[in-house]
Amino acid sequence: MSAKRDYYEVLGINRNASEEKIKAAFRKLAFKYHPDHNHDDGAEDKFKEINEAYEVLSDPEKRVTYDRFGHSGSQGFFGQGFEGFNFGGFGDIFDAFFGGATTATRQAPQRGGDLHHTTTITFEEAAFGADKEITILRTEHCSLCRGSGCQPGSQPSRCPDCNGSGQVRRIQQSIFGRFTNITTCPQCHGEGRIITEPCPQCRGTGKEKRRRSILVKIPAGVDDGSRIRLSGEGDVGARGGSSGNLYLSLSVKQHEFFTRDGDDILYELPINFAQATLGDEIEVPTLEGNTKLKLPAGNQTGQAFRLKGKGIPHLHGRGRGDQFVKLVVVTPDSLTRRQRQLFEELAKTLGLAKRPK
């Protein structure tokens, strides 16, 4: 075991230090190394060492003995009590220096909890917006007692232990004088009142769970995973605190043939060889009904045409995205005798296929 350091060295004072300097040194070091403030390795041992030094040097008789015999005299006078030291004993000294237990205050208003809900909407509802009715389960004021927690017709009484303040004051006498320790009243838990006749519906809590239907306006242009905040639609607060919020997450169903890319939509248009070669005028679907698309001659698979302004409305601004029509040339999987004959005649005139330019 390592030798103990000199107590004066531990507190950082000289041997002629006055009682006031000893107190000041202890106060500074105890605050620095107290486990409630310092979680570094070794801080606890350091704090024990500081307390041990102060216990000896702050007592005139123990200090005289220490000055004459050093640590060798500590075994009989003041050292044994620090083996297996715990913070309960010197916690009182530290509390006396730094104000005791945390000062209690009367319970303040408390905001209600936030709620989260997911609802599913269609592709078109995401594009153009919609009014959706959702049902949630949330905490509200009790409908019978209106949140008081008391049986209708009765009133809460003032807490006799704290006289309605929500706080209990305790006077402590320490080596440094008298100190007032203020704690939350254990009887009323800081409320300052006691419910003697609790509401039979909420059992004195003043709250109950209820299902509510809420009409939500879905804005145009939302996407899968978008979230909407509904202020004040969460759980009710306590002691007059505001209600929490409701966060609505959106899940968008896949469309039968449209896919989305940001505010643009994509549509694959199947065409046959004749349409690809000769061109055609074809009706294609959009979010607002069919529209005509004129195809020029000589089209290839993968070629795309843009329908300007036929996409998704911009969520945070004016205008809309576009719709892109991608051509897919479909090869027939069966032919009539006449069709085969015509293809064979055509093949003789076409020769070998060339890479399109």
Side-chain angles (χ1 to χ4, degrees):
M1 180 181 293
S2 60
K4 287 187 177 182
R5 289 200 300 153
D6 180 79
Y7 287 152
Y8 291 99
E9 179 186 349
V10 170
L11 295 182
I13 57 177
N14 59 47
R15 289 185 171 273
N16 297 322
S18 64
E19 182 179 344
E20 288 73 19
K21 287 187 177 181
I22 293 174
K23 290 180 181 179
F26 169 74
R27 178 181 181 133
K28 179 179 179 181
L29 294 171
F31 186 83
K32 179 179 179 181
Y33 291 103
H34 194 280
D36 288 347
H37 300 268
N38 192 326
H39 302 287
D40 295 341
D41 292 340
E44 182 176 331
D45 292 336
K46 186 74 174 177
F47 184 70
K48 290 161 60 177
E49 185 182 41
I50 293 166
N51 281 319
E52 181 178 337
Y54 178 73
E55 173 71 6
V56 173
L57 299 184
S58 63
D59 186 294
E61 293 184 7
K62 292 180 180 180
R63 182 178 180 182
V64 170
T65 303
Y66 178 74
D67 288 343
R68 290 188 61 187
F69 302 103
H71 291 298
S72 62
S74 66
Q75 299 302 315
F77 293 94
F78 40 74
Q80 293 179 358
F82 290 99
E83 299 296 333
F85 178 90
N86 82 40
F87 294 107
F90 267 94
D92 292 339
I93 296 177
F94 185 83
D95 289 345
F97 264 122
F98 303 109
T102 302
T103 300
T105 58
R106 189 163 186 167
Q107 296 286 359
Q110 183 177 354
R111 180 178 177 275
D114 294 331
L115 297 179
H116 299 268
H117 185 82
T118 300
T119 191
T120 300
I121 60 177
T122 66
F123 194 93
E124 287 82 1
E125 287 173 332
F128 300 116
D131 291 333
K132 298 288 288 186
E133 187 176 86
I134 63 172
T135 302
I136 61 170
L137 180 66
R138 69 182 179 190
T139 302
E140 299 183 354
H141 287 306
C142 174
S143 58
L144 181 61
C145 69
R146 300 183 181 276
S148 70
C150 299
Q151 182 171 322
S154 67
Q155 295 290 331
S157 60
R158 178 181 296 180
C159 175
D161 287 16
C162 65
N163 198 30
S165 69
Q167 304 171 355
V168 175
R169 297 173 178 266
R170 181 165 57 93
I171 306 299
Q172 289 182 303
Q173 188 72 34
S174 75
I175 60 175
F176 303 111
R178 296 178 64 192
F179 295 89
T180 301
N181 189 22
I182 304 175
T183 58
T184 300
C185 177
Q187 178 71 11
C188 66
H189 305 289
E191 297 286 347
R193 61 176 197 158
I194 295 177
I195 297 175
T196 54
E197 298 181 66
C199 170
Q201 183 163 299
C202 65
R203 298 181 181 180
T205 65
K207 300 177 181 179
E208 63 180 345
K209 290 284 188 180
R210 292 179 65 90
R211 291 195 178 276
R212 288 291 183 185
S213 294
I214 300 175
L215 188 64
V216 182
K217 187 173 184 63
I218 308 295
V222 296
D223 202 352
D224 188 66
S226 293
R227 194 168 74 157
I228 300 173
R229 183 182 70 181
L230 302 172
S231 299
E233 295 291 354
D235 288 337
V236 71
R239 296 180 292 278
S242 61
S243 296
N245 299 325
L246 170 62
Y247 291 93
L248 180 64
S249 296
L250 303 178
S251 176
V252 180
K253 294 180 181 178
Q254 289 187 345
H255 198 274
E256 181 182 2
F257 39 75
F258 292 136
T259 57
R260 182 169 176 172
D261 181 13
D263 286 342
D264 296 328
I265 61 174
L266 308 177
Y267 171 70
E268 289 190 345
L269 175 63
I271 60 174
N272 59 38
F273 281 130
Q275 291 171 312
T277 304
L278 303 175
D280 199 357
E281 188 174 68
I282 305 176
E283 280 198 347
V284 296
T286 70
L287 289 173
E288 297 170 295
N290 293 343
T291 188
K292 290 185 177 181
L293 174 65
K294 188 172 183 178
L295 299 180
N299 298 291
Q300 305 293 332
T301 290
Q303 189 170 346
F305 295 87
R306 184 175 72 166
L307 301 179
K308 189 173 178 61
K310 294 295 186 180
I312 306 292
H314 300 317
L315 179 60
H316 299 295
R318 298 179 179 178
R320 295 174 58 174
D322 301 322
Q323 177 174 328
F324 290 88
V325 180
K326 181 181 177 181
L327 302 183
V328 179
V329 180
V330 179
T331 302
D333 53 9
S334 63
L335 297 171
T336 65
R337 180 179 299 179
R338 177 58 179 161
Q339 288 172 335
R340 176 176 292 276
Q341 181 181 356
L342 293 173
F343 268 110
E344 289 174 348
E345 293 176 2
L346 179 61
K348 292 176 181 180
T349 63
L350 291 176
L352 295 176
K354 296 181 180 180
R355 184 182 299 274
K357 296 180 181 181

